[in-house]
Structure formats: C-alpha cells, structure tokens
Amino acid sequence: MEKKIITISRQFGSGGHEVGMKLAQKLGVKFYDKELVDMLAKDGKYNADFIEANEEKCSPPMCPVMPGFSMPVFYQDLPSDLIYKGQSKLIRTLAERGPCVVVGRCADYILRNMNPVNCFVYGSLEARVNRKMSMIPEGLSFTREEIKKRVIDVDKKRAKYHEFYTDKRWGRMEDYDLCVNTDKVGIEGAVETIAAYVEHCK
C-alpha cells in the first residue's frame, strides 16, 4: 500500500481522534492531532493554553467598525487568525516530511495541493452523546442534557471555523473522499474501511 497523507474531519463524539490514531498505527505513519498544540507552543509565540482556547474557533472582532465604513478602520489579527496561520504552516511542514494522518484543524483545505485523502467521521447525535457520557472522568458529574449541549455546541464551532477559513462547507459529503459512520462499523471498522479505501486511491 502506498503511504499517503490522510486528513480526518470529525463530529464531536464520533471517535475521530481514536480512528485517526489507530489508522496511523496501522499504516505506520505519523499522527497529528493534539500534538500540534504542543508543537506550535514550542515556537514560543503562543502558549499551549492560548492555543487550546482559540483553535478551531472563530474569535469575535478585536477592532471597531466606524460609522460610514464597511471595514474596520484598523485591523488586528484575531486570536483564531494567529492560531490558524501558525497551525497551517506547521501542518504543511509536517506533511512535506512524509505521509501522515492529521485530525481536524482544516487540514483537508490546508493540504489541498498535496493530494490528501480526506475523510469525515460522523455518527448519530445519540451515539455521540453516549460515547461522551462513557468518557466522563471518575469524580465528575454531568447530566445527559449537558453533554448533549456540549456535543452540539462543539460541532457548531467546528463548522463555523472551517467555513470561515475555507471555501468549503464542513460535513458536506461532496467535500470529502470518504465519509464513515462509526455507529455502523465502530472504531476498528472505521479504521479498516479507511485503510481499504486508501489502498485503492490513486
């Protein structure tokens, strides 16, 4: 199997992170998800807390629009702009080093000129809430409604972020090479499905 660059976009709670990690292990390639936060923080421009607070989110404007002007009279990069620019450069650099699996962060768009295999991992809202409920750390307590709200809110933020920085609609079937429902095949099945698809990609 020819090793390729694979991007994983995912609904919150669908298991996209685990799918990406296990896929990278199966294919023997590098895996990048939350590791990107630490790698970007090592540059010294931003700390990890700042990155985590602002990545995959659209920040509110930091500059006013004056009456009579359609654009702000001055402009400062938004926190999300700074993170997007930094992560974009980092993701391209890592992909240029060799085949890898990258989760989220508009990697499908950032690496569009490198012929990646773009996958979208999704599932029903009920299944995703169940998955997140099962992952609540011992000693913490959240209601099902609180988790459901969290799942919906994170997806909205991811969609808004992706659509703000790219010309594509997050989650639209036509914008991906393969969409996999983990409700149907589970994590291992999703890994096997993507690996089989990649094997036949030109």
Side-chain angles (χ1 to χ4, degrees):
M1 179 190 298
E2 179 186 354
K3 294 183 178 180
K4 297 180 179 292
I5 296 168
I6 302 167
T7 72
I8 305 286
S9 299
R10 73 289 185 222
Q11 287 184 322
F12 190 60
S14 65
H17 170 85
E18 190 175 355
V19 169
M21 181 174 61
K22 291 189 174 184
L23 178 65
Q25 292 172 347
K26 179 179 179 64
L27 300 181
V29 301
K30 296 288 187 179
F31 173 69
Y32 303 112
D33 187 356
K34 295 179 181 178
E35 295 82 359
L36 293 168
V37 173
D38 292 332
M39 294 173 78
L40 187 59
K42 284 182 180 179
D43 286 347
K45 292 182 180 179
Y46 325 107
N47 63 45
D49 290 340
F50 176 82
I51 296 169
E52 289 182 345
N54 291 284
E55 69 167 354
E56 292 194 290
K57 299 174 184 175
C58 287
S59 306
M62 294 177 66
C63 50
V65 176
M66 298 296 288
F69 290 84
S70 60
M71 295 292 290
V73 292
F74 64 92
Y75 179 80
Q76 291 178 295
D77 278 336
L78 307 177
S80 58
D81 290 342
L82 297 172
I83 301 306
Y84 178 76
K85 290 176 183 177
Q87 286 190 337
S88 295
K89 182 179 179 180
L90 177 59
I91 288 170
R92 282 192 292 267
T93 297
L94 294 171
E96 286 169 357
R97 294 177 183 172
C100 56
V101 175
V102 186
V103 175
R105 297 164 181 83
C106 299
D108 54 329
Y109 181 79
I110 293 167
L111 302 176
R112 63 193 182 281
N113 295 325
M114 300 182 71
N115 193 33
V117 178
N118 297 319
C119 305
F120 188 77
V121 178
Y122 68 102
S124 67
L125 178 59
E126 180 180 6
R128 292 186 290 125
V129 171
N130 288 341
R131 180 178 175 80
K132 285 300 178 182
M133 289 290 292
S134 71
M135 296 170 66
I136 297 174
E138 187 176 350
L140 295 180
S141 178
F142 294 94
T143 67
R144 185 175 182 82
E145 282 305 309
E146 288 173 331
I147 295 297
K148 181 179 179 180
K149 183 178 185 303
R150 169 69 173 162
V151 169
I152 293 172
D153 286 348
V154 170
D155 276 353
K156 285 181 179 179
K157 289 175 181 176
R158 286 179 177 173
K160 185 178 179 181
Y161 179 87
H162 193 276
E163 291 161 18
F164 183 80
Y165 288 107
T166 78
D167 58 0
K168 298 180 181 296
R169 229 173 86 196
W170 185 80
R172 184 172 61 182
M173 178 184 68
E174 294 87 345
D175 290 335
Y176 302 93
D177 299 303
L178 179 67
C179 297
V180 182
N181 185 344
T182 48
D183 289 13
K184 303 292 186 181
V185 298
I187 300 300
E188 297 296 338
V191 172
E192 294 297 327
T193 299
I194 297 172
Y197 183 88
V198 170
E199 185 174 5
H200 295 281
C201 283
K202 297 179 180 179

